[in-house]
Amino acid sequence: MSDTNLGFALNLLDDTQAPFHQRLSLHEKPIPTPQQGQVLVKMLASPVNPSDLVYLRGQYGLPPQANAYAGFEGCGLVIKANAGLYGKWLVGKRVALSAQPGQDGLWAKYACTLASYCLPLRDSISNAQGATLIVNPLTSICLIERARQLGARAIVINAAASQVGKGLIRYAQTQGMKTIATVRSQPNLEVLRKLGADYALLTTDHDFNQQLKDAVEACGASVLMDAVADQDTALLLRQMPSGSTAIVYGRLEESQDPLGGNFSVADVIFRDVRIEGFWLARTLKKAPIWQVITLNRKVQQLFNDGTFNTDIYAQTGFDDFVTALEHYAAHKSDGKVILCP
């Protein structure tokens, strides 16, 4: 093992419109030492997710840190542990992992994170698919489970051509739950129909609101899976019945509003419409380790049987990563960009 680490660190810029190649730079640091509860991982692959882009722009729930490595998710080999029996058991194992909030991220050769943020991978799952196993698939499972708790028979999904959107459609089918998928791009309609969406609607159609209202009534949809936020939350809820709930788990709308959301006060007061948030990192941190292991087994089985599969656009080394990242930022539905250090 070399004495130094290498990764993509964040440059803090006042210009909110600056391109990503100005926001990231390769930076060398000492290899980190795992603190109490942590493991040291040699990174094998790490994807770009929408949440990474929001963080790079300084709009994420965690404040950006100058010179901190970015990257929220990945796959790697645990090489050292300072974390009790579970951490020691992980040493030598290939794992899917998520970054520890407030610490260096995973777009690097080496990274430290909490042992509880690491999930051992089956040999049948590739590094690239394993690197995408936590953020999107686990989010899809947790969101559908929350919809079931709310008594939903059907859900509305915006930005449905995203990896989480596709995962929601696939997993909802296994649970007997109907899905209404909304997208902004015409070519994605047929993709989502083939995937199994009960309705696939184009938001730019002149009668989209009526189409959505009709689909909601036909399916009995009462939960909105909201990855867009901003005005989308209120506009879609307006076509849904009283007592509906929006679960906001992302913010694809790239407005510069620091609050980043809108809702109808009248709907909240008079129609009992509810809005709640979902952040996977908080869910994993609060969950007991047995629950995390159970989720891990479930999501890997869903990968093995083909229910989950991440579309991948490119796998790159350090040299081509930022160019590929900028392509992903403009064309997310093409598939993930994966850094392989």
Side-chain angles (χ1 to χ4, degrees):
M1 187 168 71
S2 65
D3 295 329
T4 58
N5 198 4
L6 184 68
F8 280 104
L10 180 62
N11 304 319
L12 292 183
L13 302 173
D14 293 330
D15 181 6
T16 58
Q17 302 300 317
F20 291 109
H21 70 262
Q22 294 179 10
R23 297 178 182 275
L24 284 171
S25 58
L26 278 173
H27 194 67
E28 203 169 46
K29 299 183 183 185
I31 292 175
T33 299
Q35 303 303 303
Q36 184 65 41
Q38 291 185 327
V39 294
L40 175 65
V41 181
K42 181 179 181 181
M43 296 303 301
L44 300 172
S46 185
V48 182
N49 287 309
S51 54
D52 293 305
L53 303 180
V54 175
Y55 173 76
L56 294 179
R57 294 190 184 101
Q59 298 174 320
Y60 198 64
L62 297 172
Q65 301 179 55
N67 298 322
Y69 292 151
F72 287 143
E73 175 182 38
C75 163
L77 185 69
V78 177
I79 57 177
K80 190 181 295 185
N82 184 10
L85 291 176
Y86 182 64
K88 291 176 182 176
W89 179 72
L90 289 174
V91 173
K93 289 181 170 58
R94 192 173 59 110
V95 299
L97 68 151
S98 56
Q100 185 174 343
Q103 306 270 329
D104 269 323
L106 308 181
W107 292 349
K109 289 186 174 182
Y110 297 91
C112 280
T113 193
L114 292 175
S116 59
Y117 283 9
C118 296
L119 306 176
L121 286 171
R122 300 180 182 186
D123 292 342
S124 59
I125 295 177
S126 69
N127 290 340
Q129 292 293 324
T132 67
L133 184 141
I134 294 181
V135 170
N136 292 332
L138 284 186
T139 294
S140 298
I141 290 174
C142 291
L143 289 175
I144 293 296
E145 294 303 315
R146 178 58 182 149
R148 291 178 61 189
Q149 291 172 3
L150 292 167
R153 294 186 291 113
I155 58 174
V156 177
I157 309 166
N158 63 10
S162 69
Q163 296 302 311
V164 172
K166 291 175 179 176
L168 286 168
I169 293 168
R170 293 186 182 110
Y171 189 57
Q173 284 181 291
T174 71
Q175 303 302 301
M177 189 178 292
K178 293 185 179 297
T179 53
I180 301 168
T182 76
V183 288
R184 290 188 257 188
S185 172
Q186 177 79 38
N188 284 323
L189 290 178
E190 190 57 30
V191 172
L192 297 177
R193 289 178 183 130
K194 288 181 178 178
L195 200 60
D198 294 279
Y199 291 84
L201 308 179
L202 194 64
T203 60
T204 53
D205 280 351
H206 72 280
D207 61 343
F208 166 73
N209 286 341
Q210 188 60 50
Q211 289 183 45
L212 177 58
K213 185 175 182 180
D214 292 344
V216 165
E217 290 177 355
C219 291
S222 58
V223 170
L224 165 64
M225 301 303 185
D226 182 11
V228 180
D230 204 65
Q231 297 184 45
D232 238 44
T233 311
L235 292 176
L236 296 186
L237 279 173
R238 181 57 58 87
Q239 309 308 321
M240 298 176 68
S242 297
S244 293
T245 300
I247 305 176
V248 184
Y249 68 92
R251 183 189 177 185
L252 292 177
E253 177 59 47
E254 296 175 3
S255 71
Q256 299 304 312
D257 183 347
L259 298 179
N262 289 282
F263 66 94
S264 166
V265 174
D267 284 351
V268 170
I269 295 173
F270 300 113
R271 296 207 306 124
D272 192 27
V273 164
R274 286 156 288 180
I275 301 169
E276 62 184 52
F278 174 82
W279 186 30
L280 184 64
R282 180 178 60 238
T283 300
L284 292 180
K285 188 172 183 179
K286 291 169 61 178
I289 192 64
W290 65 263
Q291 189 174 18
V292 174
I293 292 172
T294 300
L295 278 171
N296 176 38
R297 289 173 177 164
K298 178 181 287 189
V299 76
Q300 292 193 57
Q301 182 57 47
L302 290 167
F303 266 93
N304 274 349
D305 68 21
T307 301
F308 285 154
N309 181 68
T310 301
D311 299 325
I312 296 174
Y313 168 73
Q315 299 183 55
T316 79
F318 285 120
D319 291 344
D320 302 320
F321 178 66
V322 176
T323 299
L325 180 151
E326 291 186 325
H327 174 92
Y328 172 77
H331 307 282
K332 296 182 185 69
S333 60
D334 284 358
K336 293 292 184 191
V337 166
I338 310 286
L339 172 65
C340 302

